[in-house]
Structure formats: C-alpha cells, structure tokens
Amino acid sequence: MHPMVNDDGTAKASTGPDTDSAGAAGGGKARTKSRGRPRSFDRETALEKALLAFWEHGYEATSVSDLTRVMDIGAPSLYAAFGDKRSLFEEVVRMYGTRHGSFTDRALAEEPTARAAVERALCEAATAYTEPGHPHGCLVVHAATNCSTPEVEKSLRDRRNANIAAIESRIRADVAAGVLPPATDAAALARHAGAMIQGMSQQARDGASREELEAVAEIALSVWPRTGTHTG
Amino acid sequence: MHPMVNDDGTAKASTGPDTDSAGAAGGGKARTKSRGRPRSFDRETALEKALLAFWEHGYEATSVSDLTRVMDIGAPSLYAAFGDKRSLFEEVVRMYGTRHGSFTDRALAEEPTARAAVERALCEAATAYTEPGHPHGCLVVHAATNCSTPEVEKSLRDRRNANIAAIESRIRADVAAGVLPPATDAAALARHAGAMIQGMSQQARDGASREELEAVAEIALSVWPRTGTHTG
DNA sequence: TCATTTCTGTAGCGACCACTAGAAAAAAGA
DNA sequence: TCTTTTTTCTAGTGGTCGCTACAGAAATGA
C-alpha cells in the first residue's frame, strides 16, 4: 500500500515483493525475474514521458489522465508502478535533477573558482533552458509555483534555495582562499547569481533564444572581478 | 448573457441595463440609482479580496469556491458582477497593474535616464515584492505560470515582455541622445534588467527579505555605466 | 398596492479530478 | 495442468471544478 524505495533507488509502490525481498541474507540483486505477469511498458521511458509533461505544464496542470495518455499506460499501471501522483512527480524531479538540472552543481565542483563556476553555470543555463526537444526553462523553477499542494511547492523551493546556498558556500571558499576580496558579500553575490539563473529561466519560458540569454549572462557576469582562470 | 465593458471601464456581465443605458445623449453618469435590488457588497472591496487570493495562489489554484469565500459573496453574485472566472482575473490583473505593478513604467517615465530608471525600478521592486500586507513577489510573474488556460498564460507573458520592450525603448532613446555609448546592446541590457526583476520576484517568493533584494539590485546595477543623474 | 427590475441563496448541473475495486490476462513455480 | 503472483483493463468511486436555473428578497416606478 505505502510507497517504498527499493534497491535501485527508485520509489515504487508495489514493484518487488512485499516479502523479505531479494538478498535479505543473499548477495543483493539476485532476483532478475519477477514472478507474475511482466510489465508491458518500459518504466524509465514512461518516466521520461511524465517528465516532459510535468516540465511543460507543471505539477497541478498535469492531470493523471494527461499522464496516462502521454505515458501510454492505464491508470492502475501508473499507480502500481509509481505510487500516487506526488510520488511520480518526486521521481520525475529526481530524474530532472540528474539529467538536466545539475549543471550548477557540476560547475561548482569542477571549476577552479567561484567566478568560473558561475560563468559556466550561466552559460550552460542559456543552452539548457533553450534546448530543443524539451520544454524551455527550468522545471524546478516553474513546475510548482502556485501549487495548491504546499509540500510539493516547498520541495522545489528547497531545491532552489539549496542551489543558492551551494553557490554562496563556493564563494566563501574563494574568499577564505584569498581568490576574492575579504569584503565580498558572498550571500548577495550568490543570490544575484541565483536570481539571474531564475530570471533567465523565466525569459526562456517567455521566448528568449539561447543567444539572447547568453548576452544576458555575459552582462550579468560583468559584476564579478575577473580573477578566475576560466577565460570565456 | 455576454460580458460587456461599461462606462467606468470595468468588465461586467449584467450590471447596468442592456437597454440604451445611461447618457446615450445625456451627460454621462447621470444614472446614480439602478432600479432593482441593490448589491449587498462593495464591488471594489470584493475585487481587492480576489486580487489577494489570485496573487497568493495563482489563477488555476484559486477556485471559484475559494473566491466566493474570501470575497464573502455567493457564486451567482460573483458571476453577475464580474462575469466568469477569467474576466474576474483579468480585472484583478488590471487592478494589480495600477496599484502594485506600475513602478517600472513610472520610473521609465519620470527618471531622466534609462540607468536611473532601472536603478529606481530595481530598488522599488525590492520594496514592493516584500511589502507586508500582501503576498510577496509579482502577480504578473507568478499567477499564471503552468496554467492550463493558454490565453491567461499568454496575457501575462505579453505584459512581462511589454515591460522589457519598454525598458529597451528607453535605453535606445538614451543611446540616440548620446547618454549611453552607441555600441550599447539595448535589447540585452533591457532583458538583463527584466530577468533581474523577475529573478528578484522569485527570490521574494522564496523568502528573500527586502534588504537581501536590495543587495542583489545593487550588484545588478553595477553592470551599468555610471552616467545617470540619479544618485542612489 | 402592484408590477418591474435586479440581486441573493439554494441547490444542483455535467465534467473532470485523483484514485481504486474487481476480474481477466500473462507470466513463473509446482 | 494447476496454483500463485503480478499486471492489465473496465468501470467505476466520492469529491471538486466552473457555472447556472430557479425562486424568493429587496429595491424602484406606476
């Protein structure tokens, strides 16, 4: 009845037996074949379809009936495989995070300075938010604003604020390392970058092209002292 | 049956007679007393309540039953006075525009330079978006994202893009007047300001304080050459 | 007083919402 | 083959959506 998380990290409602399951004392994923009727659809493919639907229309405006149509499965199959609508959305958000929404984290981890990381993040935002093949803008920014389910709204807001906190922490590290001047207002600079990314996402939704967003990003970047090693 | 616009500029469904109405040849608003049972609520007060509800929860997530509750009127009264839900929302957006959402237009009209206008707009945005007594952020930005009624979504998007176009046109005027260098990318600079305002609105929704937004605005303003006369 | 006009409350319309009971179908194990 | 397990399809559940028919209430004009 209740959703659970199984060994491949995905939330499921009733996939996998409710009994002691695989590898209670064994070696993990020994069970390769389940026992009953096999699923007639590919779970990940269906999840991708759900991602596109939620990305385009948001959590509330995407009805279960919309979902079953684009995923091409019946409602009972959806509920059996993904739990309820909220669990499905949470799983969609997780997939979005790993596939489309991790460029800022990657930039913060891989670039040598905060300045270079933000430069790369803004530049990649311009690309990602206008990429063909999926809706424009950021799902985390737009899929649960004005949502009558407060928990869903909060979960996305937490992700947005966590992103800004990560930028701020990277900036503080540079200040501590002497890469940025000690008087740097790390919180404000991080919030500026976050607001910029979110504003660019809104602009992408409103029709701005990649080139236009890149021009915006370049302007926004000029507020940073040029101390990084990443030369755009 | 069909909504109509009467002489005070407000959209109404069946307020005012369908006959030749007041002042077909007379002096305008001669009719002060209507004929039937008088309305038991103040139309503007009810509209303000609707504004707050739509502002907080957005177009879709605010149901007619929510509206009748906060406006403290019955559904038939709502429909008689405001038409359907969409007309009511449009009127709410108009009220929002005149009461809360015109600071950019005012700044563009009153400040001597584009730079000063954007500075004032960003500063007033920080104040307006965090003002107590009403929801944070901008209704035009947040009330109809992920809306399953495309016309409503488009109407707010048009307003956002019109705002940016107005900024761009003000910048072009300064370029033509020699206040800004000829090489200025007016479109990008305007879009940057628009994205900044929208990002600040999102930040306000996500919990940023007025002071935090002002710090962001100050950073964002540093991309402009300091040629204005408005000294913040 | 009475007819006319307009608004208000009740009560409910069909459509859609998220969700599910129950039976048939398709696999594995005995 | 027969049982067990799981998924599928059909057909709904109660609830809410935006919206309205209808009758009574409250005003004006005759």
Side-chain angles (χ1 to χ4, degrees):
Chain A
M1 210 57 166
H2 54 92
M4 52 179 298
V5 176
N6 68 352
D7 50 10
D8 62 348
T10 60
K12 299 186 180 181
S14 61
T15 297
D18 267 350
T19 62
D20 52 340
S21 182
K29 40 173 59 181
R31 285 178 66 264
T32 47
K33 284 250 176 180
S34 52
R35 196 129 171 280
R37 174 173 175 173
R39 193 177 277 140
S40 68
F41 60 93
D42 182 63
R43 197 177 185 280
E44 192 168 11
T45 305
L47 196 54
E48 289 167 2
K49 303 283 186 64
L51 166 57
L52 292 178
F54 276 130
W55 196 347
E56 172 134 37
H57 302 292
Y59 175 73
E60 298 252 76
T62 306
S63 70
V64 173
S65 138
D66 291 334
L67 290 166
T68 59
R69 193 178 55 252
V70 303
M71 299 165 87
D72 201 31
I73 61 178
S77 300
L78 186 153
Y79 282 91
F82 299 101
D84 61 2
K85 187 186 174 184
R86 251 180 63 188
S87 323
L88 171 57
F89 182 71
E90 281 165 20
E91 198 166 340
V92 156
V93 171
R94 243 172 292 149
M95 174 179 262
Y96 175 84
T98 59
R99 297 205 178 175
H100 303 96
S102 50
F103 55 83
T104 298
D105 282 343
R106 270 203 314 274
L108 287 173
E110 295 172 7
E111 294 297 324
T113 66
R115 161 70 160 85
V118 170
E119 174 167 355
R120 180 172 139 188
L122 290 184
C123 185
E124 292 194 14
T127 304
Y129 290 168
T130 57
E131 230 160 34
H134 60 69
H136 286 193
C138 174
L139 179 140
V140 175
V141 173
H142 296 104
T145 44
N146 297 129
C147 178
S148 46
T149 314
E151 297 87 353
V152 174
E153 194 164 337
K154 178 180 184 327
S155 116
L156 259 55
R157 175 166 46 240
D158 288 347
R159 281 183 180 256
R160 292 190 294 268
N161 286 334
N163 251 325
I164 293 182
I167 298 175
E168 177 178 344
S169 137
R170 186 69 185 80
I171 293 174
R172 286 195 195 284
D174 271 20
V175 172
V179 178
L180 286 170
T184 304
D185 186 344
L189 205 49
R191 198 178 289 277
H192 170 264
M196 211 57 242
I197 291 175
Q198 290 163 7
M200 285 169 65
S201 176
Q202 180 70 59
Q203 286 299 304
R205 280 251 149 181
D206 285 354
S209 70
R210 171 178 160 177
E211 290 76 17
E212 289 171 325
L213 291 188
E214 283 171 345
V216 168
E218 192 185 329
I219 291 175
L221 273 169
S222 66
V223 310
W224 284 69
R226 268 216 157 270
T227 58
T229 60
H230 182 95
T231 57
Chain B
M1 210 60 164
H2 55 91
M4 53 178 297
V5 175
N6 68 351
D7 50 11
D8 62 349
T10 60
K12 299 187 180 181
S14 60
T15 298
D18 267 349
T19 61
D20 52 339
S21 182
K29 38 176 59 181
R31 284 178 66 263
T32 47
K33 285 249 177 182
S34 52
R35 189 120 178 299
R37 174 174 175 173
R39 192 177 277 140
S40 67
F41 60 94
D42 183 64
R43 197 178 184 279
E44 191 167 11
T45 304
L47 196 55
E48 288 166 3
K49 304 283 186 62
L51 167 57
L52 292 177
F54 276 131
W55 197 345
E56 173 133 38
H57 302 292
Y59 176 73
E60 299 251 78
T62 306
S63 70
V64 172
S65 128
D66 291 334
L67 290 167
T68 58
R69 192 178 55 254
V70 303
M71 299 165 86
D72 201 31
I73 60 177
S77 299
L78 186 153
Y79 282 91
F82 300 101
D84 60 2
K85 187 185 175 186
R86 252 179 62 189
S87 323
L88 171 57
F89 181 71
E90 282 165 20
E91 198 166 340
V92 155
V93 171
R94 242 172 292 147
M95 174 179 261
Y96 175 84
T98 60
R99 296 204 178 176
H100 303 95
S102 50
F103 56 82
T104 298
D105 282 344
R106 269 202 313 274
L108 289 172
E110 297 172 6
E111 294 298 323
T113 65
R115 161 70 159 86
V118 169
E119 174 167 354
R120 178 172 141 188
L122 290 184
C123 184
E124 293 195 12
T127 303
Y129 290 169
T130 58
E131 228 160 35
H134 59 69
H136 286 192
C138 173
L139 179 141
V140 174
V141 173
H142 296 104
T145 45
N146 299 129
C147 179
S148 46
T149 315
E151 297 87 355
V152 174
E153 195 164 337
K154 179 180 184 324
S155 115
L156 260 52
R157 175 165 49 240
D158 288 348
R159 279 182 181 257
R160 292 190 294 268
N161 286 334
N163 251 325
I164 294 181
I167 299 175
E168 177 178 343
S169 137
R170 186 70 185 79
I171 294 174
R172 286 195 194 284
D174 271 19
V175 172
V179 177
L180 287 170
T184 304
D185 187 343
L189 205 50
R191 197 177 290 277
H192 169 264
M196 211 56 242
I197 290 175
Q198 290 163 7
M200 286 169 64
S201 176
Q202 181 71 59
Q203 287 299 304
R205 281 251 148 182
D206 285 354
S209 70
R210 170 178 159 176
E211 290 75 18
E212 289 171 325
L213 292 188
E214 283 171 345
V216 167
E218 192 184 330
I219 291 175
L221 274 169
S222 66
V223 310
W224 284 69
R226 267 216 157 271
T227 58
T229 61
H230 182 94
T231 57

